[in-house]
């Protein structure tokens, strides 16, 4: 979602890392690039401006570690600031009162409230072992009630509606009674989409809120939103005093600056992100991951998730573990390439890799993948597991066997080595406290 | 209608005009004015690239043609919009396919466009090729009842291509003048879903030569710079003939769609405001840009 921004930032830092010391001059170059990148990623222009001036201040203020290069210093400052901004408050749901606990969802039309409501019920059942009652208070959009009813079934949650009533306040109030009677511990209230400037409907939302006294009020915000995200968030916050937000459609390509805008202007946490098409498409929000992605370290976790479309969960877990333990072999590499080819758009997949790990545009065709697979296919199992045994004559044999050249074999091996190194660095950096690690940016 | 649209775009206009009022009519643009203009254009979601272009072109144009900033801006913006494509002859039925991301307002757009055509005396059919989202068919069917327009739907999980084929084939057989085919919302970076869309498009062509005659991409007016990627993704799957901007009655400016129309040369054909069945109008570039900059 932040891929373009990541690219641009790593480009900036690459040039910056070539220079000696941080000066006001080269910082302002980098910061101008950052501002521009933020704007292109739909971060609100005021937020972007403030963000950049704060980052500049910190960079010049000497709050930098002596052991880092200038490029690393700037990245660290920007990264930390991003995380700080994105991770304001807690990202889980807080229920303190007595059950049933009420969650109220609100937002503009088409932001994804109904889908989110059902996903939340599914998520709560799976992760928190809760029985949720889904309440249809969207009495505006045709067939919204039917949609929620079908989704409630998919989520395995209870469902309440009253088609005879036209006032959502009454429906909501009755739903709470029903939840008590039927001993649901959580009630999720779906409301009609409304414009933040529509006084009448906003008043109605406030009345629903006052009737059900929710412990959590979540603003469902379209992750594709542009500059307007700020207006929407501020207006909804004024009226409803929401406790957090859910950003939807976050599997869309390369944008999502709305996340930054939202966090900066409301100071409220982003609690979940919505991805994909299915009932399981709700994830706890991870600021580190998002910030890391902004800074060009890619989204290996996201890559694994995307790969799940191609194969089963068990396999994905294995891969994740392998990536973490750095015992990812050429065999795994070949398997992954096969999966990736199955997954379709290669550019999207590669965009999830850290910028430095990303092959150049020209290398990104699936044909080169086929050759790489052939090369790995021509290796012995031992060679695949321990590529360091591959000497000159083995290389020649592999090249012959795969119909490629020794230079191509060499390239593959060195790419694989770099990748392993990168993973190792990511791991050790995580341990040493530089959050997320910053691979591939300082070549 | 004209009055109504201007009224509805008032918020878009006010946001920009409010800022610009302080320097309108002052003549030669100074640096402070230009900085303010830059902010205003960015806030309107025009995007960095286009904003930069406006910032470069505008002073030169103003001094060359002796225009104030306000008129100059309108001229520059209008010049950036691609001309509306010619209507594709007069096929019967005229088949329009509606595509877009989830929640952009496709179904509502289908209903409104169908209502417009019906009001003009055309025999109109709506088809729901969104067999994925729960109750999408019901949503369109309810619109059909409300507007008294026949609707073709199939149960959830049916092949969307089959629905589209049946709808168009039956429209041909029964002598309809207009067919609107609604499709499921999808994010344009999902290859499989785009392939499905291409298939629906192809299948419609099999039920009627030359159909669909129009493929309209529906974009939420509040969308950001992602609009460009969205359109690019969809354009790679189906030949887009026009854009529809929805939900322009909030504080959203639709600037990103404007920028995208400019970038890809795809004309904006309709704009949607408000929530009623009739809140859709034919896009008027002069009026739209005028409203946007407060003329």
């Amino acid at each position: 979602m932040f891929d373009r921004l990541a690219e641009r930032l790593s480009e900036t830092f690459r040039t910056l890392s070539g220079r000696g010391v941080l000066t006001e001059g080269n910082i302002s170059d980098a910061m101008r690039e950052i501002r521009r990148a933020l704007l292109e990623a739909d971060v609100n222009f005021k937020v972007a401006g403030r963000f950049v001036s704060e980052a500049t201040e910190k960079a010049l203020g000497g709050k930098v570690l002596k052991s880092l290069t200038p490029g690393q210093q700037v990245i660290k400052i920007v990264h930390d600031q991003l995380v700080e901004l994105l991770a304001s408050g807690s990202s889980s749901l807080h229920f303190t009162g007595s059950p049933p606990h009420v969650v109220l969802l609100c937002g503009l039309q088409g932001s994804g409230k109904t889908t989110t409501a059902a996903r939340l019920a599914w998520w709560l059942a799976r992760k928190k072992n809760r029985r949720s009652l889904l309440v249809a208070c969207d009495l505006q959009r045709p067939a919204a009630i039917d949609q929620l009813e079908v989704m409630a079934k998919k989520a395995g949650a209870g469902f309440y509606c009253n088609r005879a009533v036209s006032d959502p306040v009454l429906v909501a109030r009755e739903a709470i009674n029903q939840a008590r009677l039927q001993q649901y511990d959580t009630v999720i209230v779906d409301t009609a989409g409304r414009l933040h400037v529509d006084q009448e409907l906003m008043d109605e939302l406030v009345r629903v809120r006052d009737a059900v006294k929710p412990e959590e009020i979540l603003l469902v915000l379209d992750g594709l939103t542009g500059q307007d995200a700020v207006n929407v968030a501020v207006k909804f916050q004024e009226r409803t005093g929401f406790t957090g937000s859910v950003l939807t459609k976050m599997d869309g390509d390369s944008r999502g600056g709305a996340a930054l805008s939202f966090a900066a202007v409301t100071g409220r946490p982003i609690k979940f992100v919505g991805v994909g098409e299915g009932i399981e498409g709700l994830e706890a929000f991870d600021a580190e991951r998002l910030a890391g992605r902004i800074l060009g370290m890619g989204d290996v976790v996201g890559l694994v998730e995307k790969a799940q479309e191609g194969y089963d969960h068990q396999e994905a877990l294995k891969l994740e573990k392998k990536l973490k333990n750095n015992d990812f072999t050429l065999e795994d590499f070949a398997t992954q390439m096969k999966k990736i080819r199955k997954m379709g758009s290669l550019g999207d997949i590669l965009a999830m890799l850290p910028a430095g790990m990303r092959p150049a545009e020209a290398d990104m065709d699936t044909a080169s993948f086929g050759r790489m697979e052939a090369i790995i296919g021509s290796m012995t199992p031992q060679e695949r597991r321990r590529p360091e045994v591959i000497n000159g004559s083995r290389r020649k044999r592999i090249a012959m066997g795969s119909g490629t050249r020794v230079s191509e074999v060499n390239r593959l091996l060195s790419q694989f080595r770099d990748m392993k190194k990168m993973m190792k660095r990511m791991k050790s950096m995580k341990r040493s406290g530089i959050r997320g690690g910053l691979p591939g940016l300082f070549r | 209608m004209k009055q109504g649209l201007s009224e509805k775009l008032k918020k878009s206009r006010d946001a920009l005009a409010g800022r610009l009022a302080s320097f309108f009519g002052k003549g030669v643009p100074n640096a402070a004015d230009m900085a303010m203009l830059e902010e205003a254009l960015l806030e309107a979601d025009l995007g960095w690239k286009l904003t930069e272009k406006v910032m470069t072109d505008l002073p030169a144009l103003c001094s060359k043609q002796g225009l104030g900033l306000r008129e100059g801006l309108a001229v520059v913006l209008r010049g950036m919009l691609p001309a509306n494509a010619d209507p594709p002859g007069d096929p019967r039925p005229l088949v329009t396919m509606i595509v877009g991301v989830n929640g952009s307002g496709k179904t509502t757009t289908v209903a409104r466009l169908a209502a417009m055509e019906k009001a003009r005396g055309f025999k109109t059919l709506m088809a729901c090729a969104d067999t994925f989202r729960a109750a999408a068919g019901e949503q369109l069917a309810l619109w059909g009842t409300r507007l008294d327009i026949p609707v073709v739907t199939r149960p959830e999980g049916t092949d969307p291509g089959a629905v589209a084929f049946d709808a168009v084939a039956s429209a041909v057989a029964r002598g309809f003048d207009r067919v609107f085919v609604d499709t499921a919302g999808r994010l344009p970076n999902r290859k499989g879903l785009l392939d499905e869309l291409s298939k629906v498009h192809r299948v419609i062509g099999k039920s009627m030569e030359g159909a669909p005659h129009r493929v309209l991409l529906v974009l939420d007016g509040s969308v950001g710079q992602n609009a460009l990627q969205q359109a690019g993704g969809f354009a790679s799957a189906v030949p887009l003939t026009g854009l529809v901007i929805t939900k322009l009655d909030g504080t959203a400016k639709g600037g990103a769609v404007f920028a995208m129309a400019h970038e890809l040369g795809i004309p904006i054909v309709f704009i949607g405001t408000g929530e009623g069945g009739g809140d859709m109008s034919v896009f008027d570039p002069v009026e739209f840009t005028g409203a946007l900059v407060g003329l």
Side-chain angles (χ1 to χ4, degrees):
Chain A
M1 46 194 132
F2 277 92
D3 302 335
R4 294 295 164 89
L5 177 54
E7 249 165 58
R8 188 171 284 285
L9 288 195
S10 43
E11 207 42 57
T12 310
F13 294 138
R14 207 166 280 155
T15 51
L16 192 62
S17 65
R19 298 174 193 176
V21 197
L22 274 194
T23 66
E24 237 168 281
N26 59 26
I27 279 192
S28 76
D29 276 357
M31 292 301 172
R32 199 175 312 122
E33 279 302 313
I34 290 168
R35 174 169 180 263
R36 184 182 175 148
L38 291 172
L39 287 173
E40 278 178 356
D42 288 322
V43 175
N44 180 268
F45 75 98
K46 283 185 197 139
V47 174
R50 210 183 314 141
F51 183 91
V52 166
S53 65
E54 279 172 23
T56 309
E57 223 166 86
K58 278 181 201 160
L60 289 174
K63 282 189 219 163
V64 286
L65 301 172
K66 291 215 168 69
S67 57
L68 300 175
T69 68
Q72 285 170 319
Q73 285 175 354
V74 174
I75 295 170
K76 187 168 168 16
I77 288 158
V78 174
H79 178 269
D80 288 356
Q81 200 184 327
L82 275 174
V83 173
E84 199 184 308
L85 204 70
L86 287 168
S88 51
S90 159
S91 72
S92 71
L93 295 179
H94 276 282
F95 297 133
T96 47
S98 55
H101 307 290
V102 182
V103 182
L104 179 68
L105 298 179
C106 59
L108 301 183
Q109 291 94 341
S111 55
K113 288 172 298 303
T114 305
T115 306
T116 300
R119 285 172 169 178
L120 191 58
W122 189 89
W123 188 89
L124 283 168
R126 291 274 296 231
K127 309 267 168 156
K128 307 278 169 186
N129 207 16
R130 286 185 177 277
R131 282 183 77 228
S132 303
L133 180 70
L134 285 164
V135 182
C137 282
D138 180 355
L139 312 176
Q140 303 275 331
R141 182 163 59 93
I145 297 176
D146 300 328
Q147 186 187 352
L148 190 64
E149 188 170 12
V150 174
M151 304 263 322
K153 252 184 225 128
K154 280 186 193 159
F159 172 74
Y160 179 83
C161 73
N162 186 344
R163 291 171 201 266
V165 173
S166 60
D167 182 359
V169 179
L170 296 178
V171 177
R173 198 174 286 144
E174 186 48 35
I176 304 293
N177 290 334
Q178 282 298 318
R180 271 200 195 102
L181 284 174
Q182 299 176 39
Q183 302 192 323
Y184 284 99
D185 51 25
T186 314
V187 179
I188 300 168
V189 182
D190 181 28
T191 61
R194 62 202 77 221
L195 280 170
H196 49 297
V197 290
D198 189 327
Q199 279 314 325
E200 214 174 295
L201 283 177
M202 290 302 275
D203 289 346
E204 179 197 273
L205 183 62
V206 171
R207 283 202 306 278
V208 172
R209 180 196 67 186
D210 294 343
V212 300
K213 304 201 170 40
E215 289 174 57
E216 292 278 1
I217 303 168
L218 301 178
L219 175 69
V220 180
L221 192 61
D222 187 332
L224 305 175
T225 313
Q227 299 288 318
D228 204 35
V230 163
N231 296 327
V232 174
V234 166
K235 273 276 164 27
F236 268 93
Q237 188 173 29
E238 267 172 30
R239 296 306 307 274
T240 69
F242 54 66
T243 56
S245 78
V246 181
L247 277 171
T248 58
K249 307 177 204 173
M250 288 301 266
D251 51 334
D253 43 9
S254 69
R255 302 292 161 182
L260 266 176
S261 304
F262 173 86
V265 300
T266 68
R268 296 285 183 194
I270 299 161
K271 303 214 172 196
F272 297 97
V273 293
V275 295
E277 303 272 321
I279 190 82
E280 72 291 343
L282 193 68
E283 298 170 357
F285 175 70
D286 185 339
E288 292 268 342
R289 190 171 143 192
L290 196 56
R293 209 166 152 158
I294 294 169
L295 285 180
M297 59 166 290
D299 184 0
V300 177
V301 185
L303 180 61
V304 171
E305 272 161 17
K306 178 120 191 173
Q308 278 177 9
E309 277 176 43
Y311 59 105
D312 65 74
H313 190 61
Q314 287 295 327
E315 232 178 306
L317 279 178
K318 256 201 282 182
L319 173 66
E320 211 178 321
K321 209 172 150 200
K322 276 187 167 161
L323 287 174
K324 269 194 202 139
N325 297 337
N326 206 27
D327 53 8
F328 188 73
T329 65
L330 274 166
E331 235 159 16
D332 302 313
F333 194 48
T335 321
Q336 288 324 306
M337 277 193 291
K338 255 188 220 122
K339 309 275 184 207
I340 287 169
R341 284 217 289 179
K342 251 194 269 170
M343 274 187 275
S345 172
L346 191 55
D348 291 343
I349 309 285
L350 290 174
M352 293 174 110
L353 290 171
M357 268 169 76
R358 221 170 289 158
E361 263 337 293
D363 291 340
M364 277 179 21
D365 53 352
T366 26
S368 80
F369 264 50
R371 296 174 83 81
M372 284 156 93
E373 273 178 57
I375 293 172
I376 298 174
S378 298
M379 295 177 186
T380 66
Q382 191 210 6
E383 285 166 350
R384 281 177 220 159
R385 275 190 298 270
R386 300 186 51 226
E388 57 276 14
V389 303
I390 303 177
N391 56 20
S393 79
R394 283 178 191 257
R395 274 164 220 246
K396 235 180 258 165
R397 193 205 75 239
I398 292 166
M400 294 261 288
S402 56
T404 56
R405 283 176 213 173
V406 174
S407 63
E408 283 177 81
V409 177
N410 287 339
R411 185 151 26 133
L412 174 76
L413 289 172
S414 85
Q415 269 172 1
F416 183 70
R417 247 193 328 269
D418 287 351
M419 200 169 139
K420 294 266 284 189
K421 233 183 273 164
M422 208 85 67
M423 284 168 186
K424 208 167 170 184
R425 183 150 39 171
M426 269 154 93
K427 209 179 132 203
S428 66
M429 281 194 140
K430 208 161 238 159
R431 220 186 285 128
S432 73
I434 297 173
R435 271 174 272 176
L438 311 157
L441 297 173
F442 327 110
R443 294 199 292 198
Chain B
M1 175 104 87
K2 192 154 183 148
Q3 190 62 40
L5 176 60
S6 284
E7 191 50 46
K8 278 169 179 160
L9 291 174
K10 197 168 169 293
K11 285 179 200 99
S12 306
R13 193 176 61 223
D14 285 353
L16 194 51
R19 292 162 178 284
L20 297 189
S22 58
F23 67 81
F24 270 164
K26 272 199 217 157
V28 188
N30 64 40
D33 290 347
M34 291 301 281
M36 214 190 296
L37 178 65
E38 185 188 55
E39 280 199 353
L41 293 174
L42 285 175
E43 191 174 25
D45 275 318
L46 214 59
W48 176 275
K49 225 167 133 187
L50 209 53
T51 298
E52 218 169 40
K53 190 167 154 54
V54 171
M55 299 298 288
T56 324
D57 293 358
L58 192 54
L61 183 99
C62 285
S63 67
K64 202 167 93 191
Q65 300 192 8
L67 296 172
L69 259 192
R70 183 197 277 252
E71 293 94 340
L73 185 59
V75 170
V76 169
L77 290 180
R78 266 173 229 161
M80 286 176 170
L81 275 174
N84 204 338
D86 296 315
D90 188 20
R92 294 297 167 95
L94 176 77
V95 180
T96 307
M97 183 176 171
I98 305 289
V99 303
V101 304
N102 319 60
S104 53
K106 288 175 298 302
T107 305
T108 309
T109 298
V110 164
R112 287 169 170 178
L113 291 179
M116 268 169 83
E117 293 294 53
K118 184 177 183 247
R120 291 169 64 201
F122 293 113
K123 200 175 161 194
T124 305
L125 180 71
M126 302 189 288
C128 179
D130 179 356
T131 51
F132 179 80
R133 182 167 64 88
E138 282 87 338
Q139 187 181 348
L140 196 62
L142 276 173
W143 274 115
T145 316
R146 218 180 266 180
L147 301 168
D148 192 21
I149 294 172
V151 177
V152 177
T153 61
R154 293 284 180 273
E156 210 182 309
T158 313
D159 178 60
V163 189
F165 183 92
D166 288 355
V168 175
S170 90
V172 172
R174 289 154 67 197
F176 276 89
D177 303 313
R178 299 285 185 264
V179 181
F180 291 93
V181 180
D182 192 13
T183 61
R186 63 200 81 217
L187 287 172
N189 58 347
R190 313 276 290 207
K191 178 98 177 8
L193 295 180
L194 282 188
D195 288 347
E196 180 193 276
L197 202 61
S198 309
K199 186 187 162 193
V200 173
H201 184 268
R202 216 163 43 236
V203 165
I204 291 176
K206 283 185 182 142
S207 62
M208 181 189 177
E209 182 78 30
H213 311 91
R214 297 188 298 186
V215 182
L216 303 181
L217 173 65
V218 178
L219 290 147
D220 189 318
S222 68
V223 72
Q225 300 310 304
N226 175 265
L228 187 61
Q229 264 117 22
Q230 277 187 40
F234 279 105
S236 73
V238 288
L240 298 177
T241 61
L243 308 171
V244 179
I245 320 177
T246 58
K247 310 181 204 174
L248 271 187
D249 45 340
T251 45
K253 326 284 191 297
V257 186
F258 176 94
M260 195 210 73
H262 166 71
E263 187 94 7
L264 297 182
I266 303 173
I268 304 167
V269 284
F270 295 104
I271 71 172
T273 51
E275 302 195 71
D279 294 327
M280 183 124 273
S281 31
V282 174
F283 178 75
D284 177 344
V286 175
E287 193 182 358
F288 179 77
T289 50
L292 197 71
V293 298
L295 282 174

